[in-house]
Amino acid sequence: MGLCSQELDPNSYWYKIRKELRNQLGEFVDQTWLAGLIAQENLETKTLTLIAPTNFIRDYIQNHYSHKIRSCCEVNMTMKFIEVVTINSLRVLAT
C-alpha cells in the first residue's frame, strides 16, 4: 500500500478514495499527483475539497483526474467532490 497507508487515517473518505484511485491509476500517479493534496472532508454536507500546493498541480488534477475523483466519491463513498483549490486561494478567502 505504500505511503498512502502511512499518511492518511484509514477511516477517512480521502484514504478510501485514494486507495481506489491508486488501483485505477497506479502508484506513480498517486505519488506524483495525489499524495501532495490535502483533503478537507465535511461530514455534515458529505463534501470533499482538495487543497493543492500550487496552481499548476491544481490545474493538472482538474484537467486529468477530477472526473475519476468525482466518480469515486459519488459511486463508492457517497461523498460529493466539490473542487481542487490552492493554499493561496484559501488564504485570500480567509482575509
Side-chain angles (χ1 to χ4, degrees), residues 63-77:
N63 291 329
H64 293 89
Y65 303 116
S66 64
H67 65 286
K68 294 248 185 219
I69 296 169
R70 185 168 284 108
S71 176
C72 285
C73 286
E74 293 173 355
V75 172
N76 299 325
M77 310 302 166

Side-chain angles (χ1 to χ4, degrees), residues 15-58:
Y15 174 88
K16 295 170 187 172
I17 292 163
R18 259 188 74 192
K19 185 176 175 183
E20 178 60 30
L21 290 168
R22 184 184 205 119
N23 289 336
Q24 292 179 23
L25 304 171
E27 186 171 339
F28 178 79
V29 170
D30 177 69
Q31 291 302 308
T32 303
W33 298 107
L34 304 178
L37 301 175
I38 299 168
Q40 283 189 336
E41 299 176 5
N42 185 322
L43 300 178
E44 289 179 18
T45 60
K46 294 194 175 220
T47 56
L48 173 70
T49 301
L50 298 175
I51 304 166
T54 66
N55 290 341
F56 177 78
I57 292 174
R58 178 203 61 205

Side-chain angles (χ1 to χ4, degrees), residues 1-18:
M1 175 94 44
L3 294 175
C4 185
S5 62
Q6 296 171 0
E7 295 174 356
L8 300 171
D9 175 1
N11 296 316
S12 73
Y13 284 101
W14 181 230
Y15 174 88
K16 295 170 187 172
I17 292 163
R18 259 188 74 192

